[in-house]
């Protein structure tokens, strides 16, 4: 166990008692003992009450990441059982038809701080982003191999976040052989995943259920998918019988992925490489009309301070999208920034409709797919907002 104790300042014990896993540097009152970075420490409140055990790293703003909120001992068995628990939780979602790819471990929300693991068909991609978990890499990997038996387990430890933890950046095949191309199935659609060069761990699994949700609106429809990446929304729209589908992304790699994926599924998608802000403005100028518009931009704000400019960004694209939609048209708009509260996001989009003197109906307020679970007491785990509106006459 551990001899060192981190005492948190008075007032910060509440969030820990609610299950929050982080102690920030400026929340520490004092440290007893001389913990080395990566060591386990006990966390106590100002009265000396036990808050749990975590990993210490004074190089990180998140100086302690709690692994337990009670007196349980932290050891390899605990980590392995957390991995098994994460896999067990995914069982219900794995009964979904036509899907062979899921997030298996979602960091803090699975009580494995900084550990991200995705299954893409035959391949498992593991990312270890915290110093505390680095030393458990083997236990995590071996448990995954035993429980999941993938063809390949790939360590994608090249996220720059690791630098903040004082960790080196590298990637390597941990076990098995990496297939030349990885084809996954999502909602029965074939998709190519580029694990080595793609964004995130290779695909946006958090949008699977929302990709499917677009289908009923698409039959015979003109569909525009903005910020499309691999074409998740566009491909579902095409499969659902859209009259035309246009997918737009600023990344050339994404645009060629969309084209490849469309060919794989024998559907027609027009893939355009452009800045969506410009593209939308241009289509408004041309007085184009669509029946369905999807907006799924990257996080406009990674910090609370940028909220106002983020809101302006969301509003601008919502305004353009609404101008492209006649009465009856559907807008699906997303924010993947944790810092943007759901209500603020909704009000921002609603204000676009107000500016245009249009009324909208809320079809659905959705979020990230269930393999990206939300942990109570850890609001950071809820990040993806998905707002579906219908334009009224
Ligand atoms: N909709 C996708 C995920 C999109 S992620 C899905 O469901 O899987 C955000 C995408 O926006 C990335 O592919 C990124 O390349 C693209 N992007 C970022 N800024 C952009 C811009 N200004 N114009 C167009 N695309 C942009």
């Amino acid at each position: 166990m551990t001899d060192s104790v981190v005492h948190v300042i008075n007032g910060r014990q509440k969030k820990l008692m609610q299950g929050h896993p982080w102690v920030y540097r400026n929340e520490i009152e004092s440290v007893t003992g001389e913990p080395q970075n990566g060591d386990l420490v006990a966390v106590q409140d100002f009265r000396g009450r036990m808050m749990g055990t975590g990993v210490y790293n004074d190089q990180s703003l998140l100086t302690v990441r709690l692994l337990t909120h009670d007196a349980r001992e932290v050891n390899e068995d605990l980590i392995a059982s957390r991995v098994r628990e994460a896999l067990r939780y995914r069982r219900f979602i794995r009964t979904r038809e036509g899907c062979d790819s899921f997030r298996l471990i979602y960091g803090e929300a699975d009580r494995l701080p900084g550990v991200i693991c995705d299954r893409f068909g035959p391949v498992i991609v593991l990312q270890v982003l915290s110093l505390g978990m680095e030393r458990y890499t083997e236990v995590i990997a071996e448990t995954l191999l035993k429980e999941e038996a993938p063809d390949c387990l790939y360590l994608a430890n090249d996220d720059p976040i690791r630098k903040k933890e004082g960790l080196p950046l590298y990637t390597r095949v941990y076990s098995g052989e990496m297939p030349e191309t990885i084809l996954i199935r999502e909602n029965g659609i074939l998709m190519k995943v580029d694990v080595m060069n793609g964004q995130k761990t290779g695909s946006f699994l958090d949008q699977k259920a929302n990709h499917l949700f677009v289908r009923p609106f698409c039959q015979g429809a003109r569909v525009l998918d903005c910020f499309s990446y691999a074409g998740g929304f566009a491909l579902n729209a095409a499969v659902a019988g859209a009259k035309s589908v246009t997918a737009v992304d600023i990344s050339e790699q994404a645009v060629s992925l969309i084209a490849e994926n469309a060919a794989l599924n024998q559907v027609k998608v027009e893939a355009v490489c452009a800045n969506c802000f410009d593209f939308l403005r241009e289509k408004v100028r041309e007085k184009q009309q669509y029946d369905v518009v999807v907006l799924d931009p990257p996080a406009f704000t990674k910090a609370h301070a940028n909220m106002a400019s983020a809101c302006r960004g969301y509003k601008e694209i919502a305004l353009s999208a609404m101008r492209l939609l006649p009465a009856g048209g559907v807008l699906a708009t997303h924010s993947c920034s944790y810092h943007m509260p759901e209500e603020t996001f909704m009000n921002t989009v609603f204000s676009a409709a107000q500016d245009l003197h249009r009324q909208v109906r809320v079809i659905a307020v959705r979020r990230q797919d269930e393999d990206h679970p939300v942990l109570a007491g850890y609001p950071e785990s809820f990040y993806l907002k998905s707002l579906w509106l219908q334009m009224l006459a």
Side-chain angles (χ1 to χ4, degrees):
M1 270 313 268
T2 163
D3 302 327
S4 304
V5 181
V6 167
H7 304 266
V8 294
I9 57 177
N10 188 9
R12 297 306 166 98
Q13 65 277 18
K14 193 169 158 215
K15 69 163 198 186
L16 300 180
M17 281 153 69
Q18 288 168 340
H20 204 283
W22 296 336
V23 179
Y24 284 98
R25 190 180 287 150
N26 63 5
E27 294 175 326
I28 295 176
E29 175 82 59
S30 61
V31 180
T32 334
E34 283 176 11
Q36 300 297 301
N37 290 335
D39 281 357
L40 292 171
V41 290
V43 176
Q44 295 182 0
D45 76 351
F46 68 105
R47 290 201 204 98
R49 262 188 311 184
M50 172 79 171
M51 297 283 111
T53 303
V55 181
Y56 184 81
N57 183 5
D58 68 5
Q59 288 191 66
S60 173
L61 219 56
L62 309 178
T63 305
V64 184
R65 292 170 188 251
L66 286 174
L67 283 158
T68 66
H69 287 76
D70 51 34
R72 251 178 302 182
E73 191 179 337
V74 173
N75 53 29
E76 293 197 344
D77 288 346
L78 180 82
I79 303 299
S81 75
R82 290 270 164 91
V83 173
R84 285 193 296 269
E85 183 191 310
L87 299 175
R88 242 190 334 268
Y89 163 68
R90 268 91 186 156
R91 271 191 201 151
F92 84 93
I93 204 181
R94 296 176 88 154
T95 60
R96 268 198 211 158
E97 243 172 78
C99 282
D100 65 4
S101 300
F102 307 91
R103 172 145 297 186
L104 300 178
I105 302 175
Y106 177 40
E108 277 76 349
D110 280 304
R111 300 184 303 159
L112 290 164
V115 180
I116 301 291
C117 178
D118 288 334
R119 176 154 200 142
F120 294 115
V123 176
I124 286 183
V125 180
L126 175 63
Q127 284 186 313
V128 181
L129 304 174
S130 68
L131 173 67
M133 287 294 108
E134 180 85 343
R135 73 156 85 150
Y136 295 112
T137 301
E138 201 178 317
V139 181
I140 297 167
E142 293 300 325
T143 310
L144 285 166
L145 288 176
K146 186 156 164 248
E147 300 287 324
E148 291 282 317
D151 290 356
C152 175
L153 197 158
Y154 180 72
L155 263 177
N157 282 344
D158 56 349
D159 192 308
I161 276 189
R162 279 174 60 95
K163 281 196 207 149
K164 293 195 183 167
E165 293 276 312
L167 291 167
L169 305 190
Y170 68 95
T171 62
R172 75 179 170 94
V173 170
Y174 180 91
S175 159
E177 217 173 293
M178 181 63 98
E180 208 157 294
T181 38
I182 305 175
L183 285 185
I184 66 165
R185 253 178 204 286
E186 188 198 287
N187 307 326
I189 288 173
L190 276 175
M191 295 182 82
K192 194 177 148 189
V193 174
D194 194 347
V195 166
M196 315 273 228
N197 309 305
Q199 302 186 25
K200 288 230 202 166
T201 53
S203 176
F204 290 87
L205 296 171
D206 52 0
Q207 287 283 29
K208 294 186 298 303
N210 295 328
H211 290 160
L212 191 62
F213 197 75
V214 82
R215 287 196 190 184
F217 306 108
C218 293
Q219 214 193 353
R222 297 156 296 178
V223 179
L224 175 62
D225 176 13
C226 293
F227 308 92
S228 182
Y229 187 52
F233 286 105
L235 294 164
N236 278 272
V239 165
K243 190 160 112 197
S244 67
V245 183
T246 304
V248 187
D249 201 284
I250 204 165
S251 138
E252 273 175 36
Q253 182 234 354
V255 172
S256 59
L257 208 50
I258 298 167
E260 271 187 83
N261 285 338
L264 272 173
N265 293 280
Q266 294 165 330
V267 292
K268 222 174 121 211
V269 173
E270 182 196 11
V272 180
C273 189
N275 181 329
C276 283
F277 284 84
D278 301 337
F279 183 90
L280 284 163
R281 265 196 295 266
E282 191 182 308
K283 293 297 154 188
V284 170
R285 232 183 351 257
E286 292 171 2
K287 298 199 165 26
Q288 268 280 352
Q289 296 276 275
Y290 295 92
D291 303 297
V292 178
V293 177
V294 178
L295 304 173
D296 185 17
F300 288 150
T301 172
K302 295 222 156 112
H304 191 72
N306 302 332
M307 275 280 283
S309 79
C311 286
R312 277 196 297 279
Y314 290 120
K315 184 162 175 180
E316 178 181 338
I317 53 176
L319 273 168
S320 297
M322 287 176 183
R323 288 191 166 108
L324 299 174
L325 288 163
V330 171
L331 171 64
T333 180
H334 299 86
S335 166
C336 60
S337 166
Y338 153 71
H339 296 281
M340 176 61 64
E342 187 171 74
E343 204 186 340
T344 312
F345 179 59
M346 287 174 68
N347 286 333
T348 303
V349 178
F350 293 164
S351 77
Q354 280 154 23
D355 285 9
L356 297 173
H357 306 291
R358 307 268 305 264
Q359 278 195 294
V360 292
R361 166 187 289 139
V362 177
I363 301 170
V365 183
R366 300 169 57 82
R367 45 173 64 177
Q368 68 225 38
D369 207 344
E370 284 102 355
D371 49 354
H372 295 59
V374 177
L375 182 69
Y378 176 54
E380 287 85 347
S381 52
F382 168 39
Y383 66 99
L384 181 64
K385 278 76 60 182
S386 172
L387 176 60
W388 296 67
L389 302 176
Q390 185 172 42
M391 308 305 295
L392 298 181

